Amino acid sequence: MCGIVGYTGSKNAVPILISGLKALEYRGYDSAGIHIVNVGTIKRTGKVAELEKSLPAAIDGTTGVGHTRWATHGPPTEANAHPHADSARIIALVHNGIIENYAELKAALVQEGIVFASETDTEVLAQLIGKEFSIKKDLESAVRAALSKVRGTYGILVAAEREPGKLVAAKLGSPLMLGIAEDGYHVASDASAILPYTRTVIYLEDGEMATVTKEGYRIEADAGPVQKKIEELEWGVEEIQKMGYEHFMLKEILEIPEVITNTLRGRLLSDSAILGGLRDVLPRILKAKRIIITGCGSAYYSGLIGEMLIEEFAGIPAEVELASELRYRRFTMNPKEAVLIAVSQSGETLDTLEAVKEAKKHGMLTLGIVNVVGSSIARATDAGVYNHAGPEIGVASTKAFISQLAVFVLIALLLGRNRELSKIEGERLVTELRQLPELARSALSLRPQIESIAATFRSTRDAYFLGRKWHCPIAYEGALKLKEISYVHAEGYGAGEMKHGPIALIDPDFLSVILAPRDSVYEKTKSNMQEIRARGGRLLALTTQGNESDLFSLADAVLSVPLTHEALQPLLTAIPLQLFAYEMARLRALPIDQPRNLAKSVTVE
Ligand code: AGP
């Protein structure tokens, strides 16, 4: 997610801003910039070090703002990097969050003759503030007036040439805090940028605005001035970056409700979906006779769910191919009748990128479901949908995997409602989608139970993950999670496969994790549990709330998640499996965020 830093005081702001941006690098970003009041703005794509190298030697000033950008609207270019200015260049703005109504605001400003320098939603806000500042008595009044026109989320920090020494910060949905130091005041989106200068902080709440000068600060909300509690930071930098959690992986699993919200944000109608990134190619997708989905690892497994979603709701034949295999296959299908969907969190997985290139050579339309804006796969595909899941630091794909499933639901819904999917069914899906963040929170509340179950099974050396229909891919994904971070040998199978060989391995030392939601294939899955039980196998059952007692006699342990639409259920059952893998690895004191032999992005063959 983007990072914000700001300083005003008696010292040169430049080194303070640069060190603050470096402290925020862990959050992932693709460009960075600073503005020093009455000196100027410098911004660069790439790393903060690039920005630092390009700074004029003697640059000096005591008030400034800085930003690391994780691109959402507009690719990572210098023009799109923050800080952004208004046309008259009297203000400088850095922003975290999403301005949902930026398009209509921008259209109105363009009508007034304002010329935009970037594709970002942030510049729209900068232009609005600049316009207000030309008529308002002070910067804080201009910021307040501009924000009254905005819908969405923001953490912003603004400086103005006309009021040197002043910073105005405002928060709605994106973190911001003040740091009170002896030589001045700091503002940041994350305490790790403030910690080297002070531990004395004030956290802004939603709806609050802080006006900061070298002499002091004032915090207001709509109802007027606010008295804020001054707090002392206890954490070290590393704990702060993990928000106090032991590992990024745990922090990212616990972010899942917010990630589902962000993935769906602005993309749901009452009975369908809006995917701006597919608008121009939608007619071609709707005419497709076949959709080929490709990816690696968890991205491939999310594709297996995507295949079922597209066939179930859009009625278009779909198939999923491992990218590392597809790239060597002969493309026999008529390119005019087939569409490729490449799934990749990093957008840099070489096998997936090469599969995209092969498909393009064959003349196919290629789409991407990618989390990193402007990444190689995002740029190589003809169109696509960004996850908006925020940076995923842990090597294991957790929140990104859930976001990929949510994007596939949106795609299936959009295609379906442009084909035979009924309005009623579309409305039902949307209603259930809107409840998912809350249901995901309920799934996360299983963590204490999962911790004790992991302790029960801690000596496990071999495990099956078993599921049917919507939960067969989740079984594969659960097995991958367990093996990649706890190094326990685990295999995922369609539960119906047990009789065709795997059941030969079942014995009292062998754990089977079975996905048994109360769905259309529940009774068959339950009979798998009976077969395993009859051979003395250990069983961990994951079912849906209200069904637990039906399995107590069969399983050593039973977990349950809320019941939702059968096709959305995988977004919930995947969560306890991620937590189970995490707790099993934590019991083994393994390097969970960087497991041995693994990389976050496999950019080699
Ligand atoms: C998932 O936990 C793994 N880290 C790995 O399988 C990953 O999903 C795979 O390498 C694909 O990565 P991508 O989504 O960045 O393309």
Side-chain angles (χ1 to χ4, degrees):
M1 218 47 107
C2 309
I4 288 177
V5 294
Y7 172 78
T8 186
S10 58
K11 294 176 76 172
N12 180 0
V14 175
I16 293 173
L17 297 179
I18 292 295
S19 77
L21 293 180
K22 286 180 175 174
L24 300 181
E25 288 191 295
Y26 78 97
R27 304 166 67 94
Y29 68 103
D30 40 54
S31 59
I34 63 170
H35 175 81
I36 303 295
V37 173
N38 290 333
V39 174
T41 298
I42 305 101
K43 42 190 190 178
R44 290 285 182 277
T45 54
K47 296 304 173 198
V48 175
E50 300 298 312
L51 172 68
E52 190 174 20
K53 270 195 289 203
S54 62
L55 294 175
I59 184 169
D60 189 335
T62 57
T63 300
V65 298
H67 190 265
T68 51
R69 178 177 183 246
W70 167 270
T72 52
H73 293 73
T77 61
E78 210 163 290
N80 288 336
H82 302 205
H84 283 286
D86 59 314
S87 305
R89 311 196 69 75
I90 56 173
I91 67 115
L93 164 72
V94 290
H95 165 231
N96 282 358
I98 292 178
I99 309 287
E100 284 181 19
N101 60 331
Y102 84 97
E104 59 199 77
L105 293 169
K106 182 168 185 173
L109 291 166
V110 168
Q111 282 292 344
E112 295 171 22
I114 286 181
V115 177
F116 280 80
S118 80
E119 305 159 76
T120 65
D121 57 338
T122 303
E123 189 191 355
V124 174
L125 183 53
Q127 297 288 3
L128 280 177
I129 295 171
K131 189 175 155 219
E132 294 292 348
F133 196 38
S134 61
I135 49 178
K136 290 283 189 299
K137 64 180 173 44
D138 56 34
L139 183 57
E140 55 270 34
S141 311
V143 171
R144 191 174 299 109
L147 289 178
S148 67
K149 300 184 171 71
V150 154
R151 246 193 359 265
T153 59
Y154 53 80
I156 62 167
L157 188 58
V158 197
E161 304 307 276
R162 205 174 78 200
E163 294 192 84
K166 180 183 278 188
L167 296 174
V168 175
K171 178 195 182 304
L172 184 64
S174 209
L176 264 186
M177 59 197 300
L178 265 60
I180 301 167
E182 280 173 20
D183 53 41
Y185 294 89
H186 299 254
V187 181
S189 54
D190 174 319
S192 49
I194 290 179
L195 198 60
Y197 304 100
T198 180
R199 286 182 177 274
T200 306
V201 298
I202 292 174
Y203 291 95
L204 290 187
E205 302 300 333
D206 282 353
E208 290 180 347
M209 176 189 285
T211 303
V212 187
T213 65
K214 298 178 191 299
E215 296 69 41
Y217 62 91
R218 183 176 73 252
I219 298 174
E220 296 161 289
D222 291 347
V226 178
Q227 280 309 316
K228 297 289 288 185
K229 185 168 154 244
I230 294 178
E231 308 191 40
E232 290 299 318
L233 288 172
E234 269 116 45
W235 286 336
V237 174
E238 181 146 300
E239 289 83 347
I240 284 171
Q241 292 178 350
K242 293 173 195 156
M243 303 272 280
Y245 296 112
E246 208 176 331
H247 299 98
F248 280 112
M249 181 177 174
L250 178 60
K251 175 185 168 226
E252 286 150 7
I253 293 171
L254 298 176
E255 283 174 1
I256 284 173
E258 179 195 347
V259 165
I260 295 173
T261 299
N262 290 339
T263 302
L264 301 177
R265 187 189 301 279
R267 293 171 162 172
L268 283 178
L269 296 171
S270 61
D271 64 335
S272 187
I274 303 175
L275 292 170
L278 301 184
R279 183 174 300 118
D280 299 342
V281 296
L282 187 58
R284 205 169 147 192
I285 305 171
L286 290 171
K287 284 208 292 277
K289 290 198 170 35
R290 189 158 49 154
I291 290 180
I292 299 165
I293 301 168
T294 195
C296 301
S298 296
Y300 169 75
Y301 297 145
S302 76
L304 292 171
I305 300 262
E307 173 189 24
M308 287 190 260
L309 287 164
I310 289 170
E311 292 192 341
E312 185 79 16
F313 296 117
I316 301 174
E319 65 186 71
V320 192
E321 302 286 347
L322 281 171
S324 52
E325 294 299 318
L326 179 64
R327 60 179 291 200
Y328 303 111
R329 290 262 306 273
R330 185 169 157 228
F331 283 74
T332 54
M333 69 297 288
N334 174 348
K336 298 284 169 273
E337 295 175 351
V339 173
L340 180 86
I341 299 180
V343 190
S344 176
Q345 187 285 129
S346 63
E348 299 301 341
T349 298
L350 187 63
D351 282 324
T352 309
L353 180 60
E354 291 304 317
V356 169
K357 289 178 182 172
E358 279 306 304
K360 285 175 76 79
K361 265 188 231 157
H362 185 62
M364 275 172 68
L365 172 67
T366 57
L367 310 178
I369 298 178
V370 179
N371 192 34
V372 181
V373 175
S375 56
S376 304
I377 292 169
R379 281 180 285 112
T381 45
D382 301 305
V385 182
Y386 282 124
N387 290 87
H388 295 327
E392 189 172 65
I393 313 289
V395 163
S397 181
T398 51
K399 64 176 186 175
F401 176 73
I402 302 294
S403 176
Q404 287 161 356
L405 298 184
V407 169
F408 270 119
V409 176
L410 292 171
I411 291 174
L413 180 57
L414 172 63
L415 299 182
R417 288 291 293 128
N418 281 281
R419 289 166 63 97
E420 284 74 42
L421 187 69
S422 71
K423 183 175 176 58
I424 296 285
E425 187 53 26
E427 284 169 347
R428 184 168 162 246
L429 261 174
V430 169
T431 303
E432 302 266 4
L433 273 170
R434 291 190 193 284
Q435 290 166 17
L436 272 182
E438 205 40 51
L439 301 184
R441 252 175 227 103
S442 168
L444 288 170
S445 67
L446 290 170
R447 193 177 158 216
Q449 216 181 323
I450 292 169
E451 269 183 88
S452 69
I453 288 172
T456 306
F457 293 120
R458 68 179 300 161
S459 58
T460 297
R461 294 187 49 73
D462 298 288
Y464 282 147
F465 283 71
L466 305 168
R468 286 176 187 269
K469 198 176 177 190
W470 297 104
H471 291 85
C472 175
I474 301 301
Y476 299 151
E477 170 61 12
L480 174 63
K481 285 283 113 24
L482 185 65
K483 75 177 113 192
E484 72 174 322
I485 62 162
S486 74
Y487 312 155
V488 170
H489 168 241
E491 292 179 71
Y493 271 102
E497 272 295 283
M498 281 297 275
K499 292 189 184 68
H500 303 282
I503 200 163
L505 287 187
I506 296 298
D507 67 22
D509 296 327
F510 205 108
L511 169 65
S512 294
V513 179
I514 194 150
L515 298 155
R518 194 87 204 199
D519 62 8
S520 57
V521 289
Y522 172 72
E523 290 307 330
K524 290 198 175 63
T525 307
K526 187 176 169 186
S527 62
N528 284 119
M529 294 177 67
Q530 284 150 349
E531 289 159 14
I532 292 167
R533 200 69 186 163
R535 290 158 181 82
R538 309 289 304 278
L539 258 171
L540 165 56
L542 176 53
T543 186
T544 37
Q545 286 169 4
N547 191 58
E548 301 87 338
S549 57
D550 197 40
L551 301 178
F552 285 144
S553 61
L554 287 172
D556 299 274
V558 180
L559 288 167
S560 63
V561 294
L563 182 67
T564 182
H565 191 297
E566 182 165 344
L568 304 182
Q569 197 70 56
L571 281 93
L572 299 180
T573 49
I575 295 171
L577 301 189
Q578 293 174 357
L579 287 171
F580 178 66
Y582 173 80
E583 296 302 342
M584 290 287 275
R586 196 162 67 93
L587 285 171
R588 288 164 164 76
L590 292 172
I592 290 171
D593 286 332
Q594 282 91 26
R596 67 185 180 201
N597 313 329
L598 297 183
K600 183 59 187 170
S601 178
V602 181
T603 54
V604 294
E605 294 180 288

